[in-house]
């Protein structure tokens, strides 16, 4: 199940350099249905209730954002997961863009 996130009142700031999303062998992962490369971008999310650090996965071209950039996130969704007794939430977006830039991840 994928859950769309309401981003009203949230501010996203890049907190770590964009890097390839890697598998257990250290190879960059690709999107299953398109073969596009996957990228991980760590961001600090701040709203009226406080802040959290999350990692957002995008597919396609490497997002053109850098540490400290305030960004807009296009269609953020949360994906709950559970594997081998562990669980968590993965975050996926169609694209990232700087506050005054263009979308930084390719669309399908």
């Amino acid at each position: 199940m994928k859950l769309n996130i309401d981003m009203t009142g949230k501010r996203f700031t890049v907190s770590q350099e964009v890097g390839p999303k890697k598998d257990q062998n250290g190879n960059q992962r690709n999107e299953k249905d398109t073969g596009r490369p996957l990228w991980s971008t760590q961001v600090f999310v701040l709203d009226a209730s406080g802040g959290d650090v999350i990692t957002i996965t995008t597919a396609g071209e490497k997002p053109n954002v850098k540490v400290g950039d305030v960004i807009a996130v296009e269609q953020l969704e949360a994906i709950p997961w559970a594997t081998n007794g562990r669980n968590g939430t993965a975050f996926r977006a169609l694209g990232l863009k700087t506050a005054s830039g263009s979308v930084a991840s390719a669309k399908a």
Side-chain angles (χ1 to χ4, degrees):
M1 170 187 281
K2 296 177 182 181
L3 307 168
N4 292 323
I5 305 290
D6 178 9
M7 294 178 291
T8 305
K10 292 175 178 45
R11 179 182 169 122
F12 296 83
T13 305
V14 178
S15 57
Q16 190 175 61
E17 290 296 325
V18 177
K21 184 173 181 80
K22 296 184 177 181
D23 64 17
Q24 65 274 14
N25 298 319
N27 300 313
Q28 185 168 16
R29 298 181 67 176
N30 294 307
E31 194 172 47
K32 290 178 184 159
D33 54 341
T34 68
R36 298 182 303 166
L38 295 175
W39 301 95
S40 292
T41 306
Q42 185 184 86
V43 300
F44 178 70
V45 184
L46 182 65
D47 66 12
S49 67
D52 282 304
V53 174
I54 65 171
T55 300
I56 300 173
T57 298
T58 53
E61 293 180 26
K62 181 178 180 180
N64 187 20
V65 296
K66 62 185 185 309
V67 173
D69 284 350
V70 174
I71 61 170
V73 180
E74 184 179 1
Q75 294 184 9
L76 181 64
E77 57 187 19
I79 308 161
W81 59 269
T83 304
N84 299 326
R86 298 180 17 194
N87 60 66
T89 304
F91 295 93
R92 178 86 186 238
L94 282 182
L96 306 176
K97 62 181 177 178
T98 58
S100 62
S102 60
V103 172
S105 178
K107 296 180 188 176

